[in-house]
mmCIF file of all heavy atoms in Angstrom:
data_model
loop_
_atom_site.group_PDB
_atom_site.id
_atom_site.type_symbol
_atom_site.label_atom_id
_atom_site.label_comp_id
_atom_site.label_asym_id
_atom_site.label_seq_id
_atom_site.Cartn_x
_atom_site.Cartn_y
_atom_site.Cartn_z
ATOM 1 N N ALA U 37 -81.420 236.106 97.959
ATOM 2 C CA ALA U 37 -80.414 235.087 98.276
ATOM 3 C C ALA U 37 -81.014 233.690 98.179
ATOM 4 O O ALA U 37 -80.362 232.742 97.706
ATOM 5 C CB ALA U 37 -79.857 235.335 99.678
ATOM 6 N N VAL U 38 -82.269 233.538 98.613
ATOM 7 C CA VAL U 38 -82.941 232.239 98.529
ATOM 8 C C VAL U 38 -83.133 231.823 97.073
ATOM 9 O O VAL U 38 -82.807 230.698 96.678
ATOM 10 C CB VAL U 38 -84.308 232.285 99.255
ATOM 11 C CG1 VAL U 38 -85.124 231.029 98.957
ATOM 12 C CG2 VAL U 38 -84.111 232.437 100.749
ATOM 13 N N VAL U 39 -83.648 232.725 96.240
ATOM 14 C CA VAL U 39 -83.879 232.398 94.837
ATOM 15 C C VAL U 39 -82.562 232.103 94.136
ATOM 16 O O VAL U 39 -82.444 231.153 93.352
ATOM 17 C CB VAL U 39 -84.637 233.541 94.140
ATOM 18 C CG1 VAL U 39 -84.832 233.227 92.658
ATOM 19 C CG2 VAL U 39 -85.994 233.769 94.806
ATOM 20 N N SER U 40 -81.541 232.918 94.430
ATOM 21 C CA SER U 40 -80.226 232.685 93.840
ATOM 22 C C SER U 40 -79.689 231.318 94.224
ATOM 23 O O SER U 40 -79.113 230.599 93.398
ATOM 24 C CB SER U 40 -79.260 233.782 94.305
ATOM 25 O OG SER U 40 -77.951 233.519 93.872
ATOM 26 N N ALA U 41 -79.901 230.926 95.487
ATOM 27 C CA ALA U 41 -79.403 229.637 95.948
ATOM 28 C C ALA U 41 -80.117 228.484 95.263
ATOM 29 O O ALA U 41 -79.490 227.486 94.885
ATOM 30 C CB ALA U 41 -79.563 229.534 97.461
ATOM 31 N N PHE U 42 -81.433 228.596 95.095
ATOM 32 C CA PHE U 42 -82.142 227.513 94.414
ATOM 33 C C PHE U 42 -81.751 227.441 92.938
ATOM 34 O O PHE U 42 -81.786 226.359 92.336
ATOM 35 C CB PHE U 42 -83.646 227.653 94.596
ATOM 36 C CG PHE U 42 -84.136 227.124 95.921
ATOM 37 C CD1 PHE U 42 -84.815 227.934 96.818
ATOM 38 C CD2 PHE U 42 -83.903 225.808 96.274
ATOM 39 C CE1 PHE U 42 -85.256 227.444 98.033
ATOM 40 C CE2 PHE U 42 -84.340 225.302 97.494
ATOM 41 C CZ PHE U 42 -85.009 226.130 98.375
ATOM 42 N N ASN U 43 -81.365 228.565 92.348
ATOM 43 C CA ASN U 43 -80.774 228.509 91.009
ATOM 44 C C ASN U 43 -79.491 227.694 91.026
ATOM 45 O O ASN U 43 -79.248 226.847 90.163
ATOM 46 C CB ASN U 43 -80.479 229.923 90.497
ATOM 47 C CG ASN U 43 -81.665 230.560 89.806
ATOM 48 O OD1 ASN U 43 -82.554 229.876 89.318
ATOM 49 N ND2 ASN U 43 -81.678 231.883 89.762
ATOM 50 N N ALA U 44 -78.637 227.965 92.018
ATOM 51 C CA ALA U 44 -77.367 227.245 92.117
ATOM 52 C C ALA U 44 -77.576 225.757 92.363
ATOM 53 O O ALA U 44 -76.840 224.915 91.848
ATOM 54 C CB ALA U 44 -76.521 227.855 93.243
ATOM 55 N N VAL U 45 -78.596 225.442 93.148
ATOM 56 C CA VAL U 45 -78.926 224.042 93.418
ATOM 57 C C VAL U 45 -79.362 223.319 92.145
ATOM 58 O O VAL U 45 -79.218 222.105 92.019
ATOM 59 C CB VAL U 45 -80.034 223.992 94.496
ATOM 60 C CG1 VAL U 45 -80.683 222.626 94.582
ATOM 61 C CG2 VAL U 45 -79.473 224.412 95.840
ATOM 62 N N GLY U 46 -79.884 224.070 91.187
ATOM 63 C CA GLY U 46 -80.406 223.462 89.968
ATOM 64 C C GLY U 46 -81.854 223.049 90.098
ATOM 65 O O GLY U 46 -82.334 222.180 89.343
ATOM 66 N N ALA U 47 -82.575 223.656 91.049
ATOM 67 C CA ALA U 47 -83.988 223.328 91.231
ATOM 68 C C ALA U 47 -84.797 223.811 90.035
ATOM 69 O O ALA U 47 -84.683 224.966 89.627
ATOM 70 C CB ALA U 47 -84.517 223.959 92.513
ATOM 71 N N ASP U 48 -85.623 222.945 89.496
ATOM 72 C CA ASP U 48 -86.528 223.343 88.422
ATOM 73 C C ASP U 48 -87.726 224.108 88.986
ATOM 74 O O ASP U 48 -88.274 224.982 88.312
ATOM 75 C CB ASP U 48 -87.035 222.114 87.671
ATOM 76 C CG ASP U 48 -85.906 221.307 87.057
ATOM 77 O OD1 ASP U 48 -84.988 221.909 86.485
ATOM 78 O OD2 ASP U 48 -85.948 220.058 87.172
ATOM 79 N N TYR U 49 -88.128 223.744 90.213
ATOM 80 C CA TYR U 49 -89.353 224.293 90.788
ATOM 81 C C TYR U 49 -89.144 224.707 92.237
ATOM 82 O O TYR U 49 -88.321 224.126 92.964
ATOM 83 C CB TYR U 49 -90.488 223.261 90.748
ATOM 84 C CG TYR U 49 -91.045 223.027 89.363
ATOM 85 C CD1 TYR U 49 -90.528 222.029 88.548
ATOM 86 C CD2 TYR U 49 -92.083 223.815 88.869
ATOM 87 C CE1 TYR U 49 -91.029 221.821 87.270
ATOM 88 C CE2 TYR U 49 -92.593 223.606 87.603
ATOM 89 C CZ TYR U 49 -92.060 222.614 86.806
ATOM 90 O OH TYR U 49 -92.562 222.420 85.549
ATOM 91 N N ILE U 50 -89.915 225.692 92.644
ATOM 92 C CA ILE U 50 -90.135 226.000 94.056
ATOM 93 C C ILE U 50 -91.611 225.747 94.320
ATOM 94 O O ILE U 50 -92.483 226.407 93.749
ATOM 95 C CB ILE U 50 -89.767 227.450 94.398
ATOM 96 C CG1 ILE U 50 -88.251 227.673 94.237
ATOM 97 C CG2 ILE U 50 -90.194 227.791 95.816
ATOM 98 C CD1 ILE U 50 -87.826 229.115 94.463
ATOM 99 N N PRO U 76 -86.124 229.525 89.341
ATOM 100 C CA PRO U 76 -86.929 228.310 89.225
ATOM 101 C C PRO U 76 -88.394 228.673 88.995
ATOM 102 O O PRO U 76 -88.855 229.751 89.371
ATOM 103 C CB PRO U 76 -86.738 227.629 90.592
ATOM 104 C CG PRO U 76 -85.503 228.227 91.168
ATOM 105 C CD PRO U 76 -85.453 229.634 90.648
ATOM 106 N N ARG U 100 -83.633 214.761 91.581
ATOM 107 C CA ARG U 100 -82.823 215.928 91.910
ATOM 108 C C ARG U 100 -83.565 216.766 92.943
ATOM 109 O O ARG U 100 -84.795 216.824 92.918
ATOM 110 C CB ARG U 100 -82.552 216.799 90.674
ATOM 111 C CG ARG U 100 -81.823 216.125 89.550
ATOM 112 C CD ARG U 100 -81.316 217.166 88.542
ATOM 113 N NE ARG U 100 -82.317 218.154 88.205
ATOM 114 C CZ ARG U 100 -83.209 218.030 87.216
ATOM 115 N NH1 ARG U 100 -83.223 216.930 86.488
ATOM 116 N NH2 ARG U 100 -84.090 218.992 86.954
ATOM 117 N N PRO U 101 -82.845 217.454 93.838
ATOM 118 C CA PRO U 101 -83.527 218.227 94.878
ATOM 119 C C PRO U 101 -84.242 219.449 94.335
ATOM 120 O O PRO U 101 -83.712 220.178 93.492
ATOM 121 C CB PRO U 101 -82.384 218.628 95.829
ATOM 122 C CG PRO U 101 -81.134 218.525 95.015
ATOM 123 C CD PRO U 101 -81.380 217.451 93.996
ATOM 124 N N GLN U 102 -85.457 219.655 94.820
ATOM 125 C CA GLN U 102 -86.263 220.820 94.493
ATOM 126 C C GLN U 102 -86.484 221.636 95.767
ATOM 127 O O GLN U 102 -86.155 221.192 96.867
ATOM 128 C CB GLN U 102 -87.605 220.394 93.889
ATOM 129 C CG GLN U 102 -87.484 219.474 92.692
ATOM 130 C CD GLN U 102 -86.746 220.103 91.527
ATOM 131 O OE1 GLN U 102 -87.046 221.235 91.123
ATOM 132 N NE2 GLN U 102 -85.765 219.398 90.980
ATOM 133 N N GLY U 103 -87.046 222.828 95.630
ATOM 134 C CA GLY U 103 -87.298 223.681 96.774
ATOM 135 C C GLY U 103 -88.741 223.618 97.228
ATOM 136 O O GLY U 103 -89.659 223.570 96.407
ATOM 137 N N PRO U 128 -84.915 213.482 97.346
ATOM 138 C CA PRO U 128 -84.184 214.668 97.802
ATOM 139 C C PRO U 128 -84.997 215.933 97.608
ATOM 140 O O PRO U 128 -85.658 216.109 96.592
ATOM 141 C CB PRO U 128 -82.940 214.670 96.908
ATOM 142 C CG PRO U 128 -83.388 214.019 95.640
ATOM 143 C CD PRO U 128 -84.403 212.985 96.052
ATOM 144 N N MET U 129 -84.965 216.819 98.587
ATOM 145 C CA MET U 129 -85.593 218.134 98.479
ATOM 146 C C MET U 129 -85.079 219.002 99.617
ATOM 147 O O MET U 129 -84.576 218.496 100.623
ATOM 148 C CB MET U 129 -87.118 218.033 98.529
ATOM 149 C CG MET U 129 -87.678 217.524 99.840
ATOM 150 S SD MET U 129 -89.500 217.447 99.869
ATOM 151 C CE MET U 129 -89.827 216.155 98.678
ATOM 152 N N VAL U 130 -85.199 220.308 99.443
ATOM 153 C CA VAL U 130 -84.875 221.246 100.513
ATOM 154 C C VAL U 130 -86.179 221.890 100.962
ATOM 155 O O VAL U 130 -86.813 222.631 100.207
ATOM 156 C CB VAL U 130 -83.878 222.322 100.051
ATOM 157 C CG1 VAL U 130 -83.598 223.307 101.196
ATOM 158 C CG2 VAL U 130 -82.573 221.685 99.587
ATOM 159 N N LEU U 181 -76.627 232.258 104.097
ATOM 160 C CA LEU U 181 -77.885 231.669 103.644
ATOM 161 C C LEU U 181 -77.760 230.905 102.331
ATOM 162 O O LEU U 181 -78.201 229.743 102.249
ATOM 163 C CB LEU U 181 -78.958 232.756 103.546
ATOM 164 C CG LEU U 181 -80.316 232.353 102.967
ATOM 165 C CD1 LEU U 181 -80.930 231.200 103.732
ATOM 166 C CD2 LEU U 181 -81.275 233.554 102.954
ATOM 167 N N PRO U 182 -77.177 231.481 101.259
ATOM 168 C CA PRO U 182 -77.113 230.709 100.010
ATOM 169 C C PRO U 182 -76.344 229.403 100.159
ATOM 170 O O PRO U 182 -76.767 228.356 99.640
ATOM 171 C CB PRO U 182 -76.407 231.670 99.044
ATOM 172 C CG PRO U 182 -76.651 233.030 99.607
ATOM 173 C CD PRO U 182 -76.655 232.839 101.091
ATOM 174 N N THR U 183 -75.227 229.448 100.882
ATOM 175 C CA THR U 183 -74.438 228.229 101.031
ATOM 176 C C THR U 183 -75.140 227.229 101.938
ATOM 177 O O THR U 183 -74.996 226.014 101.753
ATOM 178 C CB THR U 183 -73.043 228.566 101.577
ATOM 179 O OG1 THR U 183 -72.413 229.475 100.674
ATOM 180 C CG2 THR U 183 -72.181 227.323 101.682
ATOM 181 N N MET U 184 -75.912 227.694 102.913
ATOM 182 C CA MET U 184 -76.684 226.770 103.738
ATOM 183 C C MET U 184 -77.733 226.037 102.904
ATOM 184 O O MET U 184 -77.975 224.836 103.089
ATOM 185 C CB MET U 184 -77.364 227.525 104.881
ATOM 186 C CG MET U 184 -76.410 227.967 105.977
ATOM 187 S SD MET U 184 -75.759 226.580 106.941
ATOM 188 C CE MET U 184 -77.113 226.292 108.070
ATOM 189 N N ILE U 185 -78.356 226.744 101.958
ATOM 190 C CA ILE U 185 -79.328 226.092 101.074
ATOM 191 C C ILE U 185 -78.630 225.071 100.184
ATOM 192 O O ILE U 185 -79.113 223.943 100.001
ATOM 193 C CB ILE U 185 -80.095 227.138 100.252
ATOM 194 C CG1 ILE U 185 -81.029 227.943 101.159
ATOM 195 C CG2 ILE U 185 -80.895 226.469 99.128
ATOM 196 C CD1 ILE U 185 -81.765 229.074 100.462
ATOM 197 N N SER U 186 -77.488 225.447 99.622
ATOM 198 C CA SER U 186 -76.782 224.499 98.751
ATOM 199 C C SER U 186 -76.263 223.308 99.556
ATOM 200 O O SER U 186 -76.260 222.175 99.065
ATOM 201 C CB SER U 186 -75.636 225.195 98.015
ATOM 202 O OG SER U 186 -74.642 225.638 98.908
ATOM 203 N N ARG U 187 -75.842 223.550 100.806
ATOM 204 C CA ARG U 187 -75.413 222.431 101.657
ATOM 205 C C ARG U 187 -76.586 221.492 101.940
ATOM 206 O O ARG U 187 -76.449 220.264 101.882
ATOM 207 C CB ARG U 187 -74.839 222.971 102.961
ATOM 208 C CG ARG U 187 -74.562 221.904 104.023
ATOM 209 C CD ARG U 187 -73.717 222.468 105.157
ATOM 210 N NE ARG U 187 -73.754 221.636 106.345
ATOM 211 C CZ ARG U 187 -73.153 220.455 106.475
ATOM 212 N NH1 ARG U 187 -72.479 219.955 105.447
ATOM 213 N NH2 ARG U 187 -73.236 219.778 107.599
ATOM 214 N N ALA U 188 -77.749 222.071 102.237
ATOM 215 C CA ALA U 188 -78.933 221.243 102.469
ATOM 216 C C ALA U 188 -79.255 220.406 101.238
ATOM 217 O O ALA U 188 -79.592 219.221 101.343
ATOM 218 C CB ALA U 188 -80.119 222.125 102.842
ATOM 219 N N ALA U 189 -79.136 221.010 100.046
ATOM 220 C CA ALA U 189 -79.419 220.276 98.813
ATOM 221 C C ALA U 189 -78.415 219.150 98.603
ATOM 222 O O ALA U 189 -78.791 218.032 98.217
ATOM 223 C CB ALA U 189 -79.412 221.233 97.626
ATOM 224 N N GLU U 190 -77.144 219.439 98.835
ATOM 225 C CA GLU U 190 -76.127 218.399 98.648
ATOM 226 C C GLU U 190 -76.332 217.246 99.624
ATOM 227 O O GLU U 190 -76.193 216.074 99.251
ATOM 228 C CB GLU U 190 -74.740 219.009 98.812
ATOM 229 C CG GLU U 190 -74.348 219.917 97.656
ATOM 230 C CD GLU U 190 -72.906 220.355 97.727
ATOM 231 O OE1 GLU U 190 -72.403 220.621 98.835
ATOM 232 O OE2 GLU U 190 -72.274 220.430 96.661
ATOM 233 N N LEU U 191 -76.658 217.563 100.864
ATOM 234 C CA LEU U 191 -76.918 216.497 101.832
ATOM 235 C C LEU U 191 -78.140 215.683 101.436
ATOM 236 O O LEU U 191 -78.155 214.445 101.556
ATOM 237 C CB LEU U 191 -77.117 217.105 103.222
ATOM 238 C CG LEU U 191 -75.846 217.569 103.933
ATOM 239 C CD1 LEU U 191 -76.199 218.439 105.131
ATOM 240 C CD2 LEU U 191 -75.020 216.367 104.384
ATOM 241 N N SER U 192 -79.184 216.344 100.951
ATOM 242 C CA SER U 192 -80.406 215.628 100.592
ATOM 243 C C SER U 192 -80.192 214.711 99.395
ATOM 244 O O SER U 192 -80.865 213.690 99.258
ATOM 245 C CB SER U 192 -81.532 216.616 100.300
ATOM 246 O OG SER U 192 -81.423 217.197 99.016
ATOM 247 N N TRP U 193 -79.245 215.073 98.519
ATOM 248 C CA TRP U 193 -79.018 214.354 97.264
ATOM 249 C C TRP U 193 -78.153 213.108 97.460
ATOM 250 O O TRP U 193 -78.127 212.233 96.607
ATOM 251 C CB TRP U 193 -78.359 215.303 96.270
ATOM 252 C CG TRP U 193 -78.642 214.986 94.825
ATOM 253 C CD1 TRP U 193 -79.344 213.939 94.321
ATOM 254 C CD2 TRP U 193 -78.203 215.745 93.701
ATOM 255 N NE1 TRP U 193 -79.380 213.998 92.945
ATOM 256 C CE2 TRP U 193 -78.690 215.100 92.543
ATOM 257 C CE3 TRP U 193 -77.451 216.912 93.558
ATOM 258 C CZ2 TRP U 193 -78.430 215.581 91.257
ATOM 259 C CZ3 TRP U 193 -77.208 217.390 92.287
ATOM 260 C CH2 TRP U 193 -77.682 216.737 91.150
ATOM 261 N N ALA U 218 -73.915 231.143 96.190
ATOM 262 C CA ALA U 218 -73.336 229.819 96.393
ATOM 263 C C ALA U 218 -72.897 229.247 95.049
ATOM 264 O O ALA U 218 -73.501 229.521 94.017
ATOM 265 C CB ALA U 218 -74.365 228.895 97.044
ATOM 266 N N LYS U 219 -71.834 228.474 95.073
ATOM 267 C CA LYS U 219 -71.376 227.810 93.859
ATOM 268 C C LYS U 219 -72.392 226.754 93.433
ATOM 269 O O LYS U 219 -72.945 226.046 94.263
ATOM 270 C CB LYS U 219 -70.024 227.142 94.116
ATOM 271 C CG LYS U 219 -69.387 226.518 92.876
ATOM 272 C CD LYS U 219 -68.055 225.883 93.240
ATOM 273 C CE LYS U 219 -67.359 225.363 91.976
ATOM 274 N NZ LYS U 219 -68.131 224.300 91.308
ATOM 275 N N PRO U 220 -72.698 226.649 92.148
ATOM 276 C CA PRO U 220 -73.629 225.608 91.699
ATOM 277 C C PRO U 220 -73.184 224.226 92.150
ATOM 278 O O PRO U 220 -71.987 223.908 92.132
ATOM 279 C CB PRO U 220 -73.587 225.737 90.171
ATOM 280 C CG PRO U 220 -73.204 227.162 89.934
ATOM 281 C CD PRO U 220 -72.259 227.514 91.043
ATOM 282 N N ILE U 221 -74.146 223.404 92.572
ATOM 283 C CA ILE U 221 -73.802 222.065 93.035
ATOM 284 C C ILE U 221 -73.840 221.088 91.865
ATOM 285 O O ILE U 221 -74.480 221.342 90.838
ATOM 286 C CB ILE U 221 -74.730 221.590 94.162
ATOM 287 C CG1 ILE U 221 -76.168 221.403 93.655
ATOM 288 C CG2 ILE U 221 -74.711 222.564 95.326
ATOM 289 C CD1 ILE U 221 -77.080 220.727 94.670
ATOM 290 N N VAL U 222 -73.149 220.003 92.023
ATOM 291 C CA VAL U 222 -73.091 218.972 90.993
ATOM 292 C C VAL U 222 -73.638 217.674 91.572
ATOM 293 O O VAL U 222 -73.790 217.525 92.785
ATOM 294 C CB VAL U 222 -71.652 218.770 90.479
ATOM 295 C CG1 VAL U 222 -71.148 220.027 89.813
ATOM 296 C CG2 VAL U 222 -70.717 218.374 91.621
ATOM 297 N N ALA U 223 -73.934 216.753 90.696
ATOM 298 C CA ALA U 223 -74.477 215.470 91.128
ATOM 299 C C ALA U 223 -73.479 214.730 92.004
ATOM 300 O O ALA U 223 -72.259 214.885 91.846
ATOM 301 C CB ALA U 223 -74.835 214.622 89.908
#
Side-chain angles (χ1 to χ4, degrees):
V38 170
V39 178
S40 174
F42 279 121
N43 273 337
V45 165
D48 301 317
Y49 287 91
I50 294 176
R100 300 194 314 271
Q102 306 299 311
M129 65 179 67
V130 178
L181 175 56
T183 302
M184 287 291 279
I185 290 176
S186 65
R187 171 167 163 72
E190 289 188 322
L191 284 167
S192 78
W193 208 356
K219 185 180 185 297
I221 66 171
V222 297

